[in-house]
Amino acid sequence: MNGHAGDGGRARPPAPVPAWQDPSPPPVSPPAPGVVAKAADPRGHWFMLAVAMLLVAAALVLNGYVTNVVGETHAQAVPTADRPTPELAKARRDGPVLNLTGGEPSSARPAARTIALTFDDGPDPAWTPQVLDALKKHGAKATFFTVGSKVAKHPELARRIVAEGHELGNHTYAHADLASVPGWRLRLELSLTQKALAGATGLHTTLARPPYSATPEALTVPQWESLKALGAEGYLVVLTDLDTKDWGRPGTGKIVTSSRPARGRGAIVMMHDSGGDRRQTVEAVGLVLEDAARRGYQAVTVSRALGMPSAHSRADGVDRFAGSALNFAQRAAETVTGGLSWVLFAAGALTLARLVFFAVLAWVHARRTRGGRRRKGRAPTWPAPPPVTVIVPAYNEEAGIQATVLSLVETAYQGDLEILVVDDGSTDRTAELAAELGHPRVRVIRRPNGGKPAALNTGLMQARHELVVMVDGDTVFEPATIGNLVRQLADPAVGAVSGNTKVGNRRGMIGRWQHIEYVIGFNLDRRAFELLDCMATVPGAIGAFRRSALLALGGVSTDTLAEDTDLTMALCRAGWRVVYEEKALAWTEAPTSLGQLWKQRYRWCYGTLQAMWKHRRAVLERGPFGRRCLGYLTLFQVLLPLLAPVVDLMALYSTAVGDPLPVVAVWAGFVMVQALTGWYALRLDGERASALWVLPLQQFVYRQLMYLVVIQSLATAVLGVRLRWHTVRREGTFGGPARLTSPLAD
């Protein structure tokens, strides 16, 4: 297919008249194929986005609460001296089970020759089943003071505990130190645990043990106050007679020795079935039970040891439903948080890999092109400058049309040149100003408004030459630009050439941001795209084409709002090579306000999505273009931007609830890599590296605007809403008739 396109002097066979030559203008913004047009941009997706972000935030907070990231508490240091009340002094001398529900505190001890094994901090999928197996083997019963969040995570273990005749107690929801939290947090910890138990087992419990507690003798004044709050909530507080301190892994023998009551007394023994390596605890349980049996002890639950009824009561239907919902929400929050962590890690790795990979490809491209070689051999040269037609589609471009035309007239190109200004039904003086220049190379063509593709097609029909250059009405060329563009078309395999677009109005912050984006995100990438044979877009601001190649495609398509992307993809699918020419400079006027920038990028993004959908079958074709180009666009311009709001949310969350230094370090690392890539891109383009000072600021407002544009565009495309062509108000950056001589002026 590539061999059919000759140079500018070769005769063109007559082409069939395509549909776009119909005199009635096509619609300005046609809907995507197969969808029903609607009246206005969608709005509901912003509500859905807000709800999704709130759900993600809720998942982060819930998971952070469970893992003690949010509202983290630590055991308070034991004071060297305190002033206990008479009640506390008495409690320190009394039994390990405290009844503080009434007016006068009371205590109780287990019956003689009775041992009540208690296990804190579970259930744990690794250790709790082994503890239960050891208890079952010896026919013993025990009491498990469970952490509510772990019950929610492993409800099947809570059910097994109950099914095997053991007892459940409340050990708070997130293992909070109740002596250091406000009253509302204490009540919340107890209530959530009760709901988790109700959802998992259908039961409530009247037993509670505060974390970081031990024997009555070790009670502090703050702990005593928290125990009274537990009593006010109706709980029987269970401390311990014998603290094995198995959490410190002192050795199996010491655990067994620490759990042996003296002189036949009854005792409550504290152990742990979670919170770390509990191998020693599991080994000790069997030995403790064997030793207790030899000494005539019976291992029972706390309630049985006290001669009380069961601590369990049936939860009502509301609590069971609320508990099931809580347990599900916690597991979902853990899944969401874990999944997002992996996704964000992968996204970060992909982004960094892309920056480095594209920088390497850009270096390879620069070495080859500046060394006079192309990937497929040295590019041929024209025996003489071929004739060229320049098409300038214009709609209400009076602010800069004369500067654009004069930059083309004053070209250094030596070949025959015709300039067609196609006025697309402008309502201002665009056509008059272009005609006033009176230059013999310039011809003004007026047509009814039909959109940019229709204007370009009109220009193609009127063009006298095979080589066609397209330029927007707000863009000015350097004197050498046309020659640099055309020289690449000497290769008969090349069907289109992308020029190097630069921002001319870069004085304000928005202009500086776009300048950085154009150099790094557009021009640097196009070097890599050429080497990978997956050029997605020859920009409408500056591009050169073979007229015969465009005619074979039926002209510029009116199917999408990104006619340049659509046309480039069609050329690549037809077998043409599309290359990038760094020396073909064009200065364009970028939007100067966030509103104008939104309109431009909304159209670009929506049009790109249309083009991707239109050319989706390219992924199944033999060449690599479809898989590389569409895969790249889908991953880096659709999927990753959709994750960007979550990235920002997680960064804010991590900064608010934890140490902000890791977040700042990661952010600084990304900015540093971007800055290095940007420095190299600016160096390749001969730009000042001082422009990089705005790069860190680009992460705020500008970056958010870009991913919100993607979300809006995707919602518009999915819902089938017809998007109209959004015009950008021109400021006349390049002046009137006097052509700007130094766009680099900063």
Side-chain angles (χ1 to χ4, degrees):
M1 178 175 287
N2 291 346
H4 80 280
D7 58 33
R10 186 175 300 176
R12 299 190 302 271
V17 178
W20 47 261
Q21 290 184 30
D22 187 273
S24 59
V28 174
S29 51
V35 298
V36 178
K38 297 184 180 180
D41 288 350
R43 300 292 181 186
H45 64 287
W46 294 122
F47 174 76
M48 295 176 63
L49 175 63
V51 170
M53 296 297 286
L54 286 175
L55 289 176
V56 172
L60 291 174
V61 171
L62 178 57
N63 189 73
Y65 185 85
V66 168
T67 56
N68 260 324
V69 174
V70 177
E72 182 178 8
T73 63
H74 299 283
Q76 289 189 336
V78 178
T80 56
D82 60 5
R83 295 181 179 179
T85 63
E87 288 181 339
L88 174 56
K90 181 177 182 300
R92 287 176 174 175
R93 300 189 300 269
D94 285 345
V97 181
L98 302 175
N99 184 354
L100 306 176
T101 60
E104 183 70 22
S106 61
S107 66
R109 296 180 182 275
R113 298 291 175 180
T114 302
I115 184 173
L117 297 184
T118 62
F119 297 91
D120 292 3
D121 298 351
D124 183 279
W127 307 112
T128 302
Q130 296 185 52
V131 169
L132 290 171
D133 290 343
L135 293 171
K136 185 176 183 180
K137 179 180 178 181
H138 293 84
K141 305 301 178 184
T143 301
F144 290 79
F145 287 94
T146 56
V147 175
S149 60
K150 294 185 178 180
V151 171
K153 187 176 181 179
H154 306 290
E156 72 285 352
L157 293 178
R159 288 191 288 269
R160 179 181 171 184
I161 291 172
V162 173
E164 295 185 4
H166 305 290
E167 195 169 47
L168 294 170
N170 192 326
H171 199 50
T172 76
Y173 192 78
H175 203 266
D177 180 13
L178 298 183
S180 64
V181 300
W184 68 265
R185 172 75 185 272
L186 180 147
R187 291 187 292 273
L188 179 65
E189 289 282 332
L190 299 174
S191 175
L192 290 177
T193 303
Q194 290 284 28
K195 285 182 171 56
L197 289 173
T201 66
L203 300 174
H204 284 161
T205 181
T206 58
L207 302 181
R209 172 178 285 169
Y212 310 109
S213 62
T215 61
E217 292 85 354
L219 282 175
T220 65
V221 172
Q223 286 178 331
W224 176 248
E225 296 300 320
S226 68
L227 296 190
K228 290 196 294 183
L230 285 174
E233 294 297 316
Y235 287 94
L236 196 65
V237 179
V238 181
L239 300 178
T240 187
D241 290 300
L242 302 174
D243 183 1
T244 64
K245 297 183 179 180
D246 60 334
W247 50 266
R249 287 181 287 179
T252 301
K254 287 188 176 181
I255 295 175
V256 174
T257 301
S258 299
S259 64
R260 182 179 293 129
R263 295 185 296 275
R265 294 177 178 175
I268 295 176
V269 180
M270 179 187 291
M271 294 183 179
H272 297 79
D273 63 331
S274 185
D277 186 347
R278 295 292 173 255
R279 188 177 292 107
Q280 294 179 3
T281 301
V282 172
E283 294 173 353
V285 169
L287 297 176
V288 168
L289 292 173
E290 291 173 359
D291 179 71
R294 285 195 300 269
R295 301 174 64 210
Y297 275 79
Q298 185 181 15
V300 296
T301 65
V302 169
S303 297
R304 178 83 178 275
L306 298 174
M308 296 172 51
S310 171
H312 294 162
S313 62
R314 297 297 301 176
D316 59 32
V318 174
D319 281 347
R320 290 198 298 272
F321 176 80
S324 298
L326 173 65
N327 296 347
F328 173 80
Q330 182 190 307
R331 293 193 297 273
E334 181 183 20
T335 301
V336 168
T337 304
L340 285 177
S341 298
W342 281 106
V343 169
L344 295 180
F345 173 79
L350 283 171
T351 301
L352 289 176
R354 172 195 169 277
L355 286 172
V356 174
F357 182 56
F358 273 42
V360 171
L361 290 180
W363 174 78
V364 173
H365 180 274
R367 282 181 58 88
R368 291 184 177 181
T369 56
R370 294 177 183 183
R373 296 182 294 109
R374 284 281 174 186
R375 183 181 57 173
K376 296 185 178 180
R378 186 179 297 274
T381 58
W382 295 103
V388 175
T389 296
V390 181
I391 303 175
V392 186
Y395 175 76
N396 289 351
E397 300 283 1
E398 66 177 3
I401 190 63
Q402 287 193 335
T404 297
V405 174
L406 284 176
S407 73
L408 300 172
V409 168
E410 296 171 5
T411 180
Y413 187 65
Q414 298 299 313
D416 186 16
L417 184 69
E418 72 165 344
I419 302 169
L420 304 181
V421 178
V422 184
D423 180 73
D424 189 42
S426 297
T427 58
D428 62 5
R429 300 182 63 246
T430 298
E432 289 82 354
L433 291 174
E436 283 178 5
L437 296 177
H439 198 280
R441 288 182 171 181
V442 179
R443 182 156 52 104
V444 178
I445 303 172
R446 299 173 185 260
R447 58 159 287 124
N449 178 255
K452 185 179 178 181
L456 290 171
N457 287 327
T458 298
L460 282 174
M461 287 301 300
Q462 298 289 335
R464 294 188 292 109
H465 306 307
E466 164 70 359
L467 304 187
V468 174
V469 173
M470 297 180 184
V471 54
D472 284 343
D474 62 342
T475 304
V476 297
F477 275 15
E478 293 286 333
T481 295
I482 295 177
N484 287 326
L485 280 173
V486 169
R487 72 184 182 93
Q488 299 299 339
L489 291 169
D491 184 346
V494 174
V497 183
S498 169
N500 188 345
T501 314
K502 292 182 174 294
V503 175
N505 53 332
R506 59 178 75 168
R507 289 186 179 276
M509 184 61 68
I510 297 176
R512 295 176 190 273
W513 280 337
Q514 291 177 87
H515 164 50
I516 292 293
E517 182 187 26
Y518 270 60
V519 174
I520 301 176
F522 296 164
N523 295 329
L524 185 68
D525 289 358
R526 287 192 176 98
R527 301 173 190 270
F529 291 152
E530 178 187 332
L531 295 183
L532 295 173
D533 281 334
C534 63
M535 189 77 71
T537 306
V538 173
I542 175 172
F545 304 87
R546 296 186 187 276
R547 181 174 181 271
S548 58
L550 301 186
L551 291 176
L553 296 175
V556 180
S557 173
T558 61
D559 291 340
T560 72
L561 291 184
E563 82 292 331
D564 46 6
T565 300
D566 188 357
L567 183 62
T568 306
M569 290 183 176
L571 285 170
C572 291
R573 293 183 68 188
W576 293 99
R577 289 187 60 219
V578 180
V579 299
Y580 171 71
E581 176 50 63
E582 62 178 349
K583 295 180 180 179
L585 301 179
W587 300 88
T588 189
E589 180 180 316
T592 56
S593 69
L594 292 178
Q596 294 292 313
L597 182 62
W598 173 275
K599 289 182 179 180
Q600 182 195 66
R601 298 310 173 86
Y602 184 15
R603 177 178 63 82
W604 285 6
C605 186
Y606 179 81
T608 299
L609 291 174
Q610 285 181 310
M612 291 170 62
W613 179 254
K614 177 180 177 180
H615 296 281
R616 63 191 182 279
R617 297 187 184 278
V619 298
L620 303 176
E621 294 172 354
R622 184 174 183 180
F625 167 77
R627 289 177 291 279
R628 293 177 183 175
C629 179
L630 297 184
Y632 172 86
L633 293 177
T634 300
L635 180 60
F636 288 101
Q637 294 194 22
V638 178
L639 296 182
L640 290 186
L642 291 179
L643 293 174
V646 180
V647 173
D648 289 350
L649 179 63
M650 292 193 72
L652 291 174
Y653 167 80
S654 301
T655 303
V657 305
D659 185 0
L661 289 180
V663 177
V664 174
V666 171
W667 176 81
F670 270 98
V671 172
M672 181 63 67
V673 173
Q674 284 184 313
L676 290 173
T677 306
W679 168 82
Y680 181 62
L682 291 167
R683 183 170 179 268
L684 284 179
D685 267 19
E687 298 275 5
R688 299 172 184 173
S690 59
L692 289 173
W693 72 269
V694 302
L695 188 60
L697 301 177
Q698 198 178 40
Q699 306 303 310
F700 308 99
V701 179
Y702 191 82
R703 175 175 165 273
Q704 285 72 28
L705 183 73
M706 292 300 103
Y707 68 61
L708 290 177
V709 163
V710 174
I711 294 172
Q712 173 76 4
S713 302
L714 192 61
T716 304
V718 170
L719 296 176
V721 176
R722 175 180 292 186
L723 179 63
R724 296 186 60 81
W725 186 283
H726 291 159
T727 59
V728 178
R729 182 169 54 87
R730 304 303 183 193
E731 303 291 340
T733 298
F734 306 112
R739 177 174 178 270
L740 181 66
T741 56
S742 182
L744 281 172
D746 219 338

